[in-house]
Amino acid sequence: MKQDKHGRSARSTAFAGGLALLLAAGASQAACKVNIGVLLALTGSMAEIGQDNLRSAQLAIKGVNAAGGVGGCTVDPIVYDSQTEPTVAVNQAKALVDLKGVRVIFGSNSSGTTIAELRSVTAPAKVLLVSPSAASTSFTKLAKEGYTKGLFYRGVMSVGGEGPVVAYVARHMAGWKHVAIVYVNNAFGVTYAKETIKAFEAMGGKARLIPYNSDQPDYQSIVTDALKDKPEALVLLAHPKGGQAILRDWLQSGGPQHVLLADSVATQQFVDKSGGKLLDGGWSIKDAAVKSPWYELYRKNFMAAYKRTPHIPYDTNSYDAMAITLLAMDKAGTQDARKIFAAAREITAPGGLVVHPTPAGFKAALEAIAKGKKIHYVGVTGALRINEYGDVSNPVVVGRIKDGKLDYYKTLGVDEVDSIVKHHKL
């Protein structure tokens, strides 16, 4: 079959038609475009996260386009705002599917908005939904029930898996025996907290759960409740906005400096706004393999594009989730959601040509796919694995706070993370 300069066969034109691509009459193959819906929280309570997740996803799109695109066509994202509201997310998803004809939607950020669009729009329409950061175990449950199997995957580990890892860091790495677990009272936080306390107690520790609502006018009552049985440390499973107030109140009320910051609050920006050097000796845990050349290249490209370093939670997850999705679309060569899902699982499974998110890596990946060869994508967050339910296993980075700076401490690799989850998830 005839190939172009990127090693692509003539399947590009057929692929374009099958995905409802914007291919103008008489246009050359190089001029074709493939749409992907992007539905993230650009306003609302998670706007700061959503905006930077979009920036990271756009870097991945730029990298794949420079290497030859999807099916030989330029990826053209259609970006909509969920406003961090489930009803808005549903309406925007409907517009992307019904009016724009997209067959793949990237987003949204929060579990609440993502599950709303999954149930109401994408699953019924057999459209693939990929979230960079929705971590609720509800998605696993829906997949196991057969409702969304093959129609959804994510770029972040489920809290059902991450809870035991948080417990492991608190109990075995920090050495704490008695902690207060303060968590945001939503689909993300409730399950996260339950999985964390079950594992922590199974490891011989003592803990108590204290929920908070993100729209509370004051958090002092939460802190007073958390301190009443004199825990030696605070495990914070929160979103940045409420989490900052809680941590400041914790320190001002005489709470111990021993803290563990998880996920969206495990950033330098959060440390700066919540206590700085007062948090020295604290721990953090998040998804990202920061000690890798691919991460350093990502940081460099982010700085060049946006004039600052990335510092928002799930940026790296967003980058890798988009890169995996685009490579999977290319491999599947079809608009069928379940075939794209299967392709994503295959390219994140060990074996075959290892490719990284670099100009040469993306080019090698697309050329190998065109030749029918197996590839293994190892990205900014390291080696990810997507299982049959759309859940992800990924490396986890443990950090320490010293002199007010959140520094790298250790990476727990995929095998180590899987082992912790296997032995401590109840």
Side-chain angles (χ1 to χ4, degrees), residues 168 173 288 396-400 407-412 416:
Y168 176 85
M173 296 183 70
V396 169
V397 165
V398 180
R400 297 298 310 272
D407 294 328
Y408 171 84
Y409 180 73
K410 181 181 181 180
T411 297
L412 304 178
E416 189 171 2

Side-chain angles (χ1 to χ4, degrees), residues 23 77 87 115 132-133 141 144 198 209 236 260 283 319 344 347 365 393 395 400 420:
L23 184 58
T87 55
I115 204 162
S133 56
K141 184 174 183 291
K144 288 183 176 180
K198 284 192 298 184
L209 300 180
L236 191 58
L260 193 161
W283 296 74
Y319 183 97
I347 66 177
S393 295
R400 297 298 310 272
I420 292 170

Side-chain angles (χ1 to χ4, degrees), residues 92-282:
Q92 299 287 53
K94 286 180 179 177
L96 285 168
V97 174
D98 296 339
L99 302 181
K100 298 298 183 180
V102 302
R103 304 305 300 167
V104 178
I105 294 180
F106 184 84
S108 187
N109 306 90
S110 71
S111 294
T113 53
T114 304
I115 204 162
E117 61 190 88
L118 180 65
R119 283 181 174 275
S120 299
V121 183
T122 59
K126 301 296 187 290
V127 168
L128 180 65
L129 183 63
V130 181
S131 173
S133 56
S136 171
T137 55
S138 297
F139 300 101
T140 309
K141 184 174 183 291
L142 288 173
K144 288 183 176 180
E145 292 172 350
Y147 184 70
T148 61
K149 193 171 181 181
L151 297 172
F152 171 83
Y153 62 87
R154 45 186 154 192
V156 65
M157 186 163 53
S158 161
V159 293
E162 199 151 4
V165 180
V166 170
Y168 176 85
V169 173
R171 182 70 187 92
H172 293 300
M173 296 183 70
W176 300 329
K177 297 179 180 179
H178 180 198
V179 302
I181 302 173
V182 175
Y183 68 95
V184 59
N185 189 21
N186 62 14
F188 160 80
V190 171
T191 306
Y192 202 172
K194 288 180 178 178
E195 292 292 342
T196 301
I197 193 172
K198 284 192 298 184
F200 190 77
E201 290 177 344
M203 296 173 194
K206 176 184 177 182
R208 191 163 60 87
L209 300 180
I210 303 94
Y212 78 91
N213 296 315
S214 58
D215 58 353
Q216 285 188 211
D218 180 76
Y219 297 95
Q220 184 58 55
S221 62
I222 302 299
V223 171
T224 300
D225 186 15
L227 287 170
K228 70 181 182 182
D229 54 351
K230 299 180 180 180
E232 62 182 300
L234 169 67
V235 175
L236 191 58
L237 310 178
H239 291 321
K241 186 178 179 181
Q244 290 167 9
I246 289 169
L247 194 47
R248 287 194 295 265
D249 285 347
W250 172 273
L251 294 171
Q252 291 170 3
S253 299
Q257 291 179 229
H258 300 150
V259 299
L260 193 161
L261 309 177
D263 295 303
S264 60
V265 296
T267 67
Q268 183 61 54
Q269 184 181 39
F270 182 85
V271 171
D272 291 341
K273 292 183 177 181
S274 306
K277 291 184 179 181
L278 294 176
L279 300 175
D280 280 2

